[in-house]
Amino acid sequence: MSDDLLYLSRREVRALDIAPGEVREAVLQAFRDHAAGLNLSLPKKSLDLGPGHGFQAMSAASSAEAIATVKWVAMAPVAAGSAAPGISALICVNDYATGVPLAVLDGDEITLIRTAAMSAAAASFLTPAQPRTIGFVGCGLQAHAHLAAFLDLYPGLTTVLALSRSRASAERLAEAATARGLSTEIVSDADDLLARSDIVISMVPGAPGLKPFLDAGRMPAASFAAAVDIGRSWRPETLPAFDFLATDSLAQSTAPYDVNSQPVETVRFQDDLIRIAARGVVLEQPARRMFCFRGFALADLALAGLVVRKAREAGAGTRLER
């Protein structure tokens, strides 16, 4: 085995241009493998320093993929309109059997892609048939990744609604959606967006003084919400309006989180993506459903393994001496 260490920058990860459907299936397979006892993951370990400020470690190992991974994530508050990143991450990939380090990957692009893939993976089982309108609450980089992931999953989408504290970011998302042939509208009223959306993606970053403002009861009776923001933007007292709430791993989370990163007391998760993926049954009865998640290390492992394989096939990346 070579002593070289493969390094992939964010640009190099992006240049691999892995199809959203391939990423979604890799994530789902990781959850199926977990249900079958073929991989292990520790709950996310967090060092919280304040609202939207802290560090996290996420580790997993898979006998099926023959790798182990750890992702180190840093989060910091970002002022409205700032181009500074709110999240920075690196992923280390090791050989499962020998423990030898194989690769170091920029984690930012992988986090973007795998997060959107997780939302889409849950949506593939929980979303009402033939959704037409998708609403974005928060229009940063995650919104663009989710737009690509959901258009791949639901090519029949016709309309994008965008709500953001930054007009410029909403305009960039609207331009990207328009370029993909969708009708777009920048809205200023959250209730209006919720009432008109078959799918809602909430991506509101933590910040001092943030007040939850999304009312679950405003969503259509047959709809789906993915709370990438762990639920902090949703008013806790309205969450019982959801007929069904799921997360990535019940071992990691029992309920959505409030603006202080504490579990809410108004609802509890009823299922997780591990069991949903293992069953493989689409819930077809119309209902108002939410998928709320903190991020699961096995999803990072799945995408890291896929990225390393694609990079080796393409001869991409930089070989570093250990």
Side-chain angles (χ1 to χ4, degrees):
M1 182 177 294
S2 171
D3 288 334
D4 290 347
L5 189 67
L6 177 66
Y7 173 73
L8 289 170
S9 69
R10 183 170 189 171
R11 176 186 59 78
E12 289 167 328
V13 172
R14 187 183 298 124
L16 293 173
D17 197 24
I18 303 175
E22 190 173 5
V23 179
R24 185 176 67 250
E25 178 53 35
V27 167
L28 281 171
Q29 188 57 51
F31 281 88
R32 296 187 198 107
D33 287 346
H34 192 62
L38 298 176
N39 56 37
L40 294 170
S41 174
L42 289 176
K44 181 184 296 185
K45 300 296 184 182
S46 297
L47 182 64
D48 295 320
L49 304 180
H53 189 195
F55 297 87
Q56 297 175 339
M58 302 170 66
S59 57
S62 170
S63 60
E65 293 292 326
I67 58 172
T69 59
V70 62
K71 183 168 79 167
W72 179 245
V73 185
M75 301 167 293
V78 177
S82 172
I87 299 177
S88 300
L90 285 174
I91 297 176
C92 180
V93 183
N94 292 67
D95 182 88
Y96 180 89
T98 67
V100 172
L102 302 176
V104 174
L105 316 175
D106 176 86
D108 293 351
E109 188 71 12
I110 287 176
T111 298
L112 277 174
I113 299 169
R114 77 90 162 113
T115 303
M118 285 183 65
S119 294
S124 68
F125 295 104
L126 304 179
T127 298
Q130 300 181 334
R132 291 286 182 262
T133 301
I134 183 168
F136 293 92
V137 183
C139 298
L141 292 175
Q142 271 294 352
H144 290 262
H146 276 73
L147 177 62
F150 275 79
L151 273 178
D152 178 84
L153 179 61
Y154 297 116
L157 286 169
T158 61
T159 306
V160 167
L161 305 179
L163 172 67
S164 176
R165 62 181 181 176
S166 166
R167 176 77 183 187
S169 66
E171 289 176 348
R172 285 192 293 270
L173 181 64
E175 290 172 2
T178 299
R180 291 173 175 266
L182 284 84
S183 171
T184 64
E185 182 180 345
I186 298 174
V187 299
S188 58
D189 183 75
D191 287 347
D192 177 49
L193 181 145
L194 294 176
R196 296 165 56 194
S197 299
D198 301 310
I199 298 170
V200 170
I201 315 295
S202 65
M203 298 160 286
V204 178
L210 174 68
K211 296 182 183 295
F213 59 95
L214 297 179
D215 182 345
R218 298 286 184 173
M219 294 190 65
S223 56
F224 170 78
V228 181
D229 54 15
I230 68 175
R232 69 169 66 92
S233 60
W234 296 82
R235 290 166 49 199
E237 70 274 15
T238 74
L239 291 176
F242 284 110
D243 302 298
F244 181 85
L245 293 96
T247 188
D248 46 8
S249 167
L250 286 170
Q252 180 172 268
S253 302
T254 59
Y257 292 80
D258 62 20
V259 293
N260 297 312
S261 297
Q262 297 300 310
V264 303
E265 298 181 354
T266 54
V267 292
R268 287 292 181 267
F269 292 128
Q270 297 150 274
D271 212 340
D272 64 18
L273 192 53
I274 298 165
R275 298 190 295 190
I276 291 171
R279 290 194 302 267
V281 177
V282 176
L283 301 182
E284 296 181 345
Q285 183 177 355
R288 189 183 285 134
R289 302 186 180 103
M290 169 183 265
F291 179 62
C292 179
F293 59 108
R294 296 182 66 198
F296 199 38
L298 289 174
D300 294 298
L301 179 147
L303 186 48
L306 183 59
V307 164
V308 170
R309 289 196 299 273
K310 294 283 187 180
R312 286 173 174 163
E313 292 169 2
T318 302
R319 292 285 179 176
L320 301 177
E321 183 180 352
R322 291 189 59 222

